[in-house]
């Protein structure tokens, strides 16, 4: 209602208020940057202002942001990107010739020979060609069509775009989207925002977070009572659970989606992050085509990759791609229209994606340094995965599955009943209470398992294995001390 302002000018309330805004947005949650992380930022500010704490810094292990955790960029990538950003550097003799060749090729494909120009909405053509060649090589020669490649603003943007195509209906006809529990909160947030229905299937914690098709079928049949399940989302290697799916599991999933007439979304952004002995990344596309035409000519699928993870860790450039398989040509035209609304992905991110899929070759001057850096990053991650599992499993009340791949562990924590009751009295979820207390007492920022989903009556947290090894050891020791103290306090 209007009212008189102090200066006599009529004043109205805000056009947009929290009461009249889009109600779906209010329901969106994203635990990776949720309340614990927001409090961590406040504590960092307090430390800078001289407030005394039992610690001198906040160790953030809440998000897979490799460079923020101290991982060094790959030299070759940054050399080429530097020359793309400032072409005058092409005259400088400090850069190797293969880096200059990559920069020239990328610049020649850009409007006005500048990465400051818009690109085609689907992405620069020569980069999509390089992505297709990379996929063919990765998958043992299975053909990839550049026209089925869409460059994207990280994998996240592509995932949301595909979900937009799939979501429709009202009431019992609303699209159901099958997502794993635990899941990466991008999926639940996007599904909520788009007004679709989350269909939860549980990973088997007792069996190293494996996926059982019987559980998929249970979830699907239950969901069909109240929605129309149309899509199955798979993350391999897993986030937040770090498992690597077996060949048999992938085949079982492909048979399932064919039988149940579902669209398959394969999130494969951690495909280079495989550490455990006996584990191997195999793309869903590779397995799909090796299963023969009965599957390869019918199963509709989109797979996703990114520059943000693996050995690159280049989150800020927002580079990624998706490949669509067996998509109806008329739908594909709509997809192309939809991505054109956003004009184009960041061209710097596209350039970086090109370097990921077209790195230095053995006969090029940058190859030795590139391979040394790449191998060192992945070896260090493998060691930190082993260290995390080993140390956490020495703590009574914490159980950690092997970190087979990706960048995270998702340990199960046993909380005393008094702690559970105390949390509920304060209106908190118990593992949120645990993580907030850990932050306040030890300066360690983790994400409560409830932000990813978990079986009723179980509690977890997700932590990244990315901190430098010595800092990770400090984190794990302080976590161990805290858990023992927490358990004693509430026993």
């Amino acid at each position: 209602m209007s009212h008189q302002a102090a200066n006599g000018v009529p004043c109205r309330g805000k056009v947009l208020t929290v009461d009249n805004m889009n109600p779906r947005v209010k329901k969106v949650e994203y635990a990776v940057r949720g309340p614990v992380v927001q409090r961590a930022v406040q504590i960092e500010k307090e430390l800078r202002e001289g407030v005394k704490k039992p610690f001198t810094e906040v160790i953030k292990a809440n998000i897979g942001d490799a460079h923020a955790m101290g991982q060094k960029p790959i030299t070759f990538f940054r050399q080429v990107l530097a020359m793309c950003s400032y072409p005058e550097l092409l005259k400088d003799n400090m850069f190797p010739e293969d880096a200059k060749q990559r920069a020239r090729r990328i610049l020649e494909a850009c409007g006005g020979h500048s990465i400051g120009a818009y690109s085609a909405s689907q992405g620069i053509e020569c980069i999509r060609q390089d992505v297709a060649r990379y996929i063919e090589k990765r998958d043992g020669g299975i053909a990839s069509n550049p026209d089925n490649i869409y460059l994207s603003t990280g994998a996240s943007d592509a995932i949301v775009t595909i979900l937009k195509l799939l979501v429709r209906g009202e009431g019992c006809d609303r699209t159901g989207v099958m997502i794993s529990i635990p899941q990466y909160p991008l999926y639940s947030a996007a599904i909520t925002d788009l007004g679709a229905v989350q269909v939860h299937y549980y990973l088997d914690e007792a069996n190293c977070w494996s996926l059982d098709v019987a559980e998929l079928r249970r979830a699907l049949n239950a969901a069909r009572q109240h929605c129309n399940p149309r899509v199955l989302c798979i993350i391999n290697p897993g986030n937040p659970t770090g498992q690597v799916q077996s060949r048999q599991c992938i085949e079982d999933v492909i048979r399932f989606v064919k039988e149940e007439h579902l669209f398959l979304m394969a999130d494969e952004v951690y495909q280079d992050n495989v550490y455990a002995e006996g584990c191997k990344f195999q793309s869903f596309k590779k397995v799909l085509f090796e299963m023969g035409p009965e599957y390869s000519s019918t199963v509709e699928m989109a797979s996703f990759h990114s520059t943000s993870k693996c050995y690159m860790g280049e989150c800020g450039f927002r580079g990624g791609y998706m490949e669509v398989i067996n998509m109806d040509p008329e739908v594909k035209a709509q997809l192309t229209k939809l991505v054109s609304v956003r004009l184009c992905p960041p061209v710097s991110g596209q350039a970086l994606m090109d370097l990921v899929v077209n790195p230095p070759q053995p006969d090029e001057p940058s190859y030795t340094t590139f391979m040394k850096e790449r191998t060192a990053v992945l070896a260090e991650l493998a060691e930190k995965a082993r260290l995390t599992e080993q140390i956490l499993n020495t703590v009574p009340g914490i159980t950690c599955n092997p970190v087979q791949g990706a960048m995270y562990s998702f340990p199960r924590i046993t909380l005393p009943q008094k702690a559970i009751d105390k949390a509920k009295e304060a209106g908190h979820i118990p593992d949120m209470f645990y993580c907030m207390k850990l932050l306040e007492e030890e300066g360690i920022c983790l994400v409560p398992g409830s932000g990813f989903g978990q079986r009723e009556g179980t509690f977890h947290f997700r932590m990244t294995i990315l901190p430098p090894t010595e800092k990770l050891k400090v984190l794990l020791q302080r976590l161990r001390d805290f858990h023992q103290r927490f358990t004693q306090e509430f026993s």
Side-chain angles (χ1 to χ4, degrees), residues 288-342:
L288 175 69
F289 277 79
E290 289 177 350
M291 289 174 70
E294 178 188 355
Y295 298 94
S296 63
S297 63
T298 59
V299 171
E300 297 159 66
M301 184 179 85
S303 61
F304 309 91
H305 195 19
S306 167
T307 63
S308 299
K309 309 303 178 182
C310 300
Y311 63 93
M312 302 85 71
E314 295 278 14
C315 302
F317 278 97
R318 310 308 300 129
Y321 75 74
M322 65 176 162
E323 181 182 28
V324 296
I325 306 293
N326 292 323
M327 181 173 276
D328 184 294
E330 292 184 19
V331 174
K332 195 157 166 289
Q334 295 295 318
L335 170 59
T336 303
K337 178 186 74 175
L338 187 58
V339 299
S340 72
V341 174
R342 303 281 288 272

Side-chain angles (χ1 to χ4, degrees), residues 39-85:
R39 176 59 186 145
V41 172
Q42 292 175 345
I43 290 174
E44 285 181 318
K45 184 180 178 184
E46 291 170 10
L47 287 170
R48 288 194 297 271
E49 292 171 349
V51 178
K52 295 298 180 186
K53 301 281 183 184
F55 46 85
T56 57
E57 67 168 334
V58 173
I59 302 178
K60 289 183 178 176
N62 62 294
I63 193 167
D65 190 351
H67 291 190
M69 300 282 181
Q71 183 176 308
K72 300 300 181 188
I74 299 296
T75 300
F76 180 78
F77 293 170
R78 289 302 183 90
Q79 286 175 333
V80 177
L81 290 170
M83 288 183 280
C84 287
S85 299

Side-chain angles (χ1 to χ4, degrees), residues 157-203:
D157 186 56
I159 288 165
V160 173
T161 298
I162 291 295
L163 287 173
K164 283 181 180 177
L165 292 177
L166 285 154
V167 172
R168 64 178 298 281
E170 298 292 335
C172 288
D173 192 42
R174 275 202 302 167
T175 293
V177 181
M178 300 186 71
I179 58 173
S180 64
I181 296 297
Q183 55 99 25
Y184 177 51
L186 163 70
Y187 290 90
S188 55
I191 292 163
T192 300
D193 186 29
L194 294 170
V197 179
Q198 295 177 39
V199 177
H200 297 160
Y201 63 90
Y202 289 93
L203 301 177

Side-chain angles (χ1 to χ4, degrees), residues 422-443:
K422 176 84 170 177
K424 290 179 178 176
E425 283 170 20
H428 296 307
I429 298 170
D431 52 20
M432 170 72 80
F433 174 73
Y434 177 94
C435 288
M436 196 66 84
K437 198 168 174 61
L438 172 66
L439 174 65
E440 297 287 353
E441 294 184 14
E442 297 289 349

Side-chain angles (χ1 to χ4, degrees), residues 148-311:
N148 290 335
I149 305 296
Y150 288 76
L151 302 182
S152 59
T153 308
S156 301
D157 186 56
I159 288 165
V160 173
T161 298
I162 291 295
L163 287 173
K164 283 181 180 177
L165 292 177
L166 285 154
V167 172
R168 64 178 298 281
E170 298 292 335
C172 288
D173 192 42
R174 275 202 302 167
T175 293
V177 181
M178 300 186 71
I179 58 173
S180 64
I181 296 297
Q183 55 99 25
Y184 177 51
L186 163 70
Y187 290 90
S188 55
I191 292 163
T192 300
D193 186 29
L194 294 170
V197 179
Q198 295 177 39
V199 177
H200 297 160
Y201 63 90
Y202 289 93
L203 301 177
D204 184 359
E205 182 172 11
N207 195 18
C208 206
W209 298 112
S210 64
L211 173 56
D212 183 358
V213 169
E215 169 60 13
L216 289 180
R217 205 168 298 283
R218 179 209 62 77
L220 181 75
N221 291 335
R224 281 181 170 154
Q225 308 303 311
H226 60 89
C227 69
N228 178 21
R230 303 183 70 203
V231 55
L232 171 63
C233 300
I234 302 283
I235 309 174
N236 181 44
N239 176 10
T241 43
Q243 84 284 5
V244 179
Q245 289 183 353
S246 68
R247 167 75 184 225
Q248 184 62 54
C249 177
I250 294 171
E251 288 183 6
D252 290 345
V253 167
I254 289 170
R255 290 190 189 95
F256 174 78
V257 295
K258 182 181 186 298
E259 289 170 16
E260 301 295 346
H261 201 56
L262 300 173
F263 191 101
L264 177 61
M265 294 175 63
D267 181 339
E268 299 174 332
V269 303
Y270 297 98
Q271 58 190 255
D272 288 324
N273 297 112
V274 177
Y275 318 119
E277 189 175 339
C279 290
K280 179 184 177 183
F281 171 77
Q282 296 185 74
S283 76
F284 270 84
K285 183 189 176 185
K286 179 178 187 289
V287 176
L288 175 69
F289 277 79
E290 289 177 350
M291 289 174 70
E294 178 188 355
Y295 298 94
S296 63
S297 63
T298 59
V299 171
E300 297 159 66
M301 184 179 85
S303 61
F304 309 91
H305 195 19
S306 167
T307 63
S308 299
K309 309 303 178 182
C310 300
Y311 63 93

Side-chain angles (χ1 to χ4, degrees), residues 205 209 389 392-402 409-414 459-461 483:
E205 182 172 11
W209 298 112
E389 176 200 349
L392 288 177
N393 279 326
T394 67
V395 186
I398 297 182
T399 307
C400 182
N401 269 315
S409 65
F410 196 70
R412 183 168 176 171
I413 50 176
T414 301
F459 305 107
H460 302 78
F461 59 78
H483 188 83

